[in-house]
Amino acid sequence: MALSALVEQAIERTLLDEQTIQRRVVELAAQISSDYADVDNVVLVGVLKGSFIFLADLARHLDVPHSVDFIALSSYNRGTVSYGAVRLIMDTRSSITDQHVLIVEDIVDTGYTLDYLMRNFEARRPASLRTCTLLSKPDRREVDVHVDYLGFEIPDVWVVGYGLDYANRFRTLPYIAALRRDVYEKE
Ligand code: IMP
Ligand code: MG
């Protein structure tokens, strides 16, 4: 089956089109570049897999010296249901101690993932630690987490595209779209 046909079947509507996302990414990069203007190096730590496209675009608009690293987390998900238990399954390649670290995430939903990550990273004594998240679903928050740089607030719907997936599909769509409820609520 063609991917376009699959998209046609599963997607309800576009929430954020490509141009809107790109414009916001440029704004975020400008803000980050200005805030870190006096820093030697910013370590961008992307949370795999969801952040890979956002991080790639954001990093290419930064005007501060930076390096890129990744971590992978597993959050005991079944489809769209998260159970709040988070586990580190791949750590950064380089130590973050004494580094200026900016965590780059795709979305904050309940907040468990980012909360876990902040605690885990704080313990390693970075020089500074901030968070940049493309999306946030404030209605779904269960733990209060601070986001320093936020792209967009969105309603409580399951979104795909621009790195975000449903069952590992749709990550590479250039826009962000809401999945049809009957697709993810039939579990
Ligand atoms: P949290 O721990 O509940 O904040 O969930 C964070 C993780 O759940 C994100 O990093 C995503 O991987 C995933 N997630 C939450 N909502 C969505 C969504 O609408 N689409 C795709 N992934 C999502
Ligand atoms: Mg994620």
Side-chain angles (χ1 to χ4, degrees):
M1 191 190 222
L3 177 60
S4 53
L6 204 62
V7 168
E8 183 71 32
Q9 272 182 12
I11 265 80
E12 185 177 277
R13 69 196 156 103
T14 301
L15 279 190
L16 300 162
D17 64 29
E18 190 172 357
Q19 211 189 15
T20 304
I21 298 169
Q22 292 302 329
R23 246 188 275 127
R24 188 71 186 122
V25 169
V26 169
E27 285 175 4
L28 289 172
Q31 182 68 54
I32 293 165
S33 300
S34 143
D35 291 355
Y36 286 90
D38 298 327
V39 161
D40 292 344
N41 185 63
V42 183
V43 182
L44 305 172
V45 178
V47 184
L48 293 173
K49 304 174 194 170
S51 73
F52 83 115
I53 290 180
F54 175 42
L55 187 144
D57 282 348
L58 184 75
R60 286 179 293 173
H61 288 292
L62 287 180
D63 193 23
V64 275
H66 57 273
S67 53
V68 174
D69 212 327
F70 292 99
I71 54 155
L73 298 170
S74 157
S75 53
Y76 300 104
N77 282 349
R78 280 200 61 182
T80 61
V81 184
S82 170
Y83 297 108
V86 183
R87 191 165 53 104
L88 188 68
I89 54 174
M90 188 193 87
D91 208 347
T92 53
R93 182 68 66 95
S94 306
S95 165
I96 59 162
T97 304
D98 297 329
Q99 300 294 311
H100 293 279
V101 176
L102 180 61
I103 296 173
V104 181
E105 248 286 48
D106 52 357
I107 185 165
V108 193
D109 187 25
T110 62
Y112 284 118
T113 304
L114 204 54
D115 183 61
Y116 166 86
L117 206 51
M118 291 296 284
R119 289 166 194 275
N120 183 299
F121 274 23
E122 286 285 8
R124 308 181 197 191
R125 308 258 165 246
S128 69
L129 180 60
R130 286 186 187 165
T131 52
C132 176
T133 304
L134 181 69
L135 305 173
S136 171
K137 289 183 197 171
D139 298 346
R140 296 252 316 156
R141 202 72 86 251
E142 287 176 31
V143 235
D144 201 21
V145 285
H146 179 72
V147 176
D148 295 283
Y149 306 97
L150 173 64
F152 307 91
E153 286 196 343
I154 60 163
D156 179 14
V157 289
W158 194 264
V159 290
V160 296
Y162 202 70
L164 294 114
D165 73 308
Y166 174 70
N168 257 316
R169 277 239 163 86
F170 308 121
R171 286 194 201 276
T172 55
L173 298 176
Y175 51 88
I176 289 168
L179 208 63
R180 285 172 46 158
R181 276 197 188 271
D182 59 293
V183 173
Y184 64 91
E185 278 178 353
K186 68 169 182 228
E187 305 168 345

